Amino acid sequence: MAKKLKDIPTFTKQFWKKLGDETADRIRVHTTKGGKDVNGKGFSPYSTSYRARKASNKVKGQSSTSLKPDLQLTGDMMRNLQTRGFSRDNVVVGWSGTNAQKIQWNDDMGRAVTSKQRPVSKGIERFIFKEVDLAIARNAKEATSKPINLKIGK
């Protein structure tokens, strides 16, 4: 990809798409299997009435009966978490429509999956930075694999 030194910090659309997809997967695991909010804390408990409905296993399309908050009843909200857009400069990951509203409602109930101050958990943030660092290192290796000629003066 990197042919010149100036190309070292550049990325492809495919890089951002792959990073977005992996980030969404990691958010799903952190949220549903880890049962943790964006700050790494356990989610606040479900209300008594919601716990009873979820435990009854009688909700149409239900995929989870866990009484530990995992933000999954049918799984629709977490399946809706996807890469929403990407370019050579960035990637956007998130929810749409009613699922985005459910994320906001859960945040209001003390179950923040993301926030403006901390879009992803610290562990996912470390993963993102590592992937960006690796891409820059690959580009630098490619750009410096051949002799570099410098032109000094006019």
Side-chain angles (χ1 to χ4, degrees), residues 74-102:
T74 63
D76 292 344
M77 183 175 70
M78 284 299 155
R79 270 193 303 277
N80 185 257
L81 172 60
Q82 298 174 11
T83 299
R84 298 286 166 191
F86 55 94
S87 70
R88 290 181 58 93
D89 301 321
N90 63 53
V91 64
V92 176
V93 176
W95 293 265
S96 65
T98 58
N99 291 299
Q101 293 170 347
K102 290 177 191 176

Side-chain angles (χ1 to χ4, degrees), residues 135-146:
I136 290 172
R138 280 190 300 271
N139 290 350
K141 185 175 182 179
E142 183 180 334
T144 59
S145 64
K146 295 180 181 171

